[in-house]
Amino acid sequence: MFSKYRETIRGFLRKGLLPSEIAFAIALGNFVGILPILGLHTVLAVGLAYLLRLNIVIVFLGTQISNPFSFPFILFVSAQIGNLMLCGRLLDVQLTTDLTVLKTYIMPTVIGSVILGFAVSSLSYFLTLSVARRFRA
């Protein structure tokens, strides 16, 4: 898994991109990928990459942190973080078919995803920057 990550970074370095550009693009993609906006990750990521003049492919690759396997986990952790910030406690998760209960999860999930997204994107920025600088040297 990490060998493919390193090879991708090497490829972008060979194209003349700076380590900081690569790191910022991946971090932005990670942040967007964690937001609970199903179906709009790519649109938002491409739009932000265009506005910030970042490599669209790298930003798109960063959004792939969110996939069918990881997204339920991301939503769960986001909701827990958000509820902890709003109410000072973790959510009591209950299985139910009543969809009106989703209203109680919306705000904690949005707030938690912004916090989680910032944490993950910060970590990915410094990790990618470190790897890219090492390969460039």
Side-chain angles (χ1 to χ4, degrees):
M1 178 178 167
F2 286 112
S3 63
K4 189 161 182 100
Y5 175 71
R6 287 186 294 237
E7 273 307 308
T8 303
I9 291 173
R10 276 189 188 140
F12 286 120
L13 286 170
R14 282 187 215 115
K15 291 182 180 183
L17 293 172
L18 297 173
S20 59
E21 291 174 323
I22 297 169
F24 185 63
I26 288 179
L28 179 65
N30 284 172
F31 182 79
V32 170
I34 288 178
L35 296 177
I37 52 172
L38 291 174
L40 297 176
H41 290 133
T42 302
V43 173
L44 182 60
V46 168
L48 287 172
Y50 179 77
L51 287 174
L52 298 172
R53 296 186 177 167
L54 296 171
N55 186 297
I56 292 173
V57 173
I58 299 173
V59 175
F60 173 73
L61 289 173
T63 66
Q64 299 310 300
I65 194 169
S66 173
N67 58 60
F69 301 109
S70 67
F71 200 69
F73 176 74
I74 290 170
L75 281 179
F76 177 76
V77 172
S78 295
Q80 294 293 0
I81 291 171
N83 204 65
L84 192 60
M85 299 308 277
L86 290 172
C87 304
R89 61 182 168 76
L90 296 175
L91 279 170
D92 294 325
V93 179
Q94 302 169 0
L95 296 177
T96 180
T97 57
D98 181 16
L99 295 179
T100 59
V101 76
L102 289 176
K103 291 179 190 174
T104 60
Y105 296 113
I106 292 173
M107 202 57 176
T109 302
V110 169
I111 290 172
S113 69
V114 170
I115 294 168
L116 180 64
F118 182 74
V120 168
S121 64
S122 296
L123 181 66
S124 71
Y125 175 82
F126 290 112
L127 175 70
T128 304
L129 186 62
S130 172
V131 171
R133 282 182 176 164
R134 192 169 340 131
F135 286 141
R136 192 142 201 226

